[in-house]
Amino acid sequence: MKPEKPLSAELIAPCGMNCAICSRYLSFLNGLKRSQCSGCRPGHVNCTYLFAKCSGVNHQSVKEAVFCFECDQYPCAQIKRMDKRYQKSYGMSVVENLEWIKEKGMESFLENQDRKYRCPGCGGMISIHNRKCFSCDTVTRLADPLS
Ligand SMILES: [Zn+2]
């Protein structure tokens, strides 16, 4: 059994995505495949979905950005599109995530994420993308988003 690691604010991307529950990050963390992704912020990855087309005055790269909701263009067409895609495919809303962070703060958000995506079996994290715990390989049914 792996020791439980607390969720890190550094792994919450500017768009509201929690990298700790991303398949690419979990593959990297658990030494699977050849994923080199250490998370958007830690890896200084420019956001493919948003920042490549970001027209906000404040944010040209993830490095400079804190969160999308601080942008003068928020919510822009790009984040709305991404949000729609994530809601449809994975039952998660990045805009709801952002609103949660904005209204209740990061600590509250991390607690919420921990409750929702922590594997009850081993304490690892469950991926939003395939609903699997990458530590014990269990397919877990996730509760309703942000419930
Ligand atoms: Zn597990």
Side-chain angles (χ1 to χ4, degrees):
M1 187 190 274
K2 291 189 179 185
E4 283 192 18
K5 284 185 200 131
L7 290 178
S8 159
E10 207 200 10
L11 286 174
I12 310 304
C15 66
M17 174 67 195
N18 181 0
C19 293
I21 59 168
C22 172
S23 290
R24 281 192 68 197
Y25 174 76
L26 285 166
S27 298
F28 163 79
L29 192 71
N30 290 284
L32 304 171
K33 298 182 201 157
R34 293 195 179 176
S35 176
Q36 296 294 310
C37 191
S38 57
C40 290
R41 280 190 212 272
H44 302 297
V45 180
N46 280 332
C47 181
T48 318
Y49 303 111
L50 301 170
F51 292 101
K53 294 173 189 165
C54 183
S55 57
V57 291
N58 301 323
H59 308 144
Q60 295 309 312
S61 73
V62 169
K63 251 183 180 174
E64 296 162 41
V66 183
F67 287 105
C68 281
F69 62 72
E70 291 166 50
C71 180
D72 62 334
Q73 302 293 312
Y74 174 82
C76 64
Q78 288 88 296
I79 196 158
K80 281 184 192 162
R81 203 174 307 130
M82 180 189 168
D83 191 55
K84 215 172 166 184
R85 194 168 66 86
Y86 260 78
Q87 285 198 51
K88 200 173 162 218
S89 306
Y90 309 116
M92 182 194 84
S93 163
V94 289
V95 169
E96 277 179 31
N97 285 359
L98 285 170
E99 296 299 321
W100 187 297
I101 295 164
K102 193 175 161 188
E103 282 162 28
K104 302 180 192 175
M106 180 53 79
E107 205 176 317
S108 162
F109 180 70
L110 291 177
E111 278 168 21
N112 160 273
Q113 294 291 291
D114 201 277
R115 266 199 310 277
K116 277 169 58 188
Y117 301 111
R118 182 76 70 187
C119 172
C122 78
M125 294 311 289
I126 296 162
S127 165
I128 188 79
H129 294 121
N130 62 5
R131 309 204 158 203
K132 255 186 168 186
C133 169
F134 275 65
S135 302
C136 69
D137 221 25
T138 306
V139 179
T140 307
R141 229 187 135 90
L142 292 171
D144 285 339
L146 296 181
S147 59

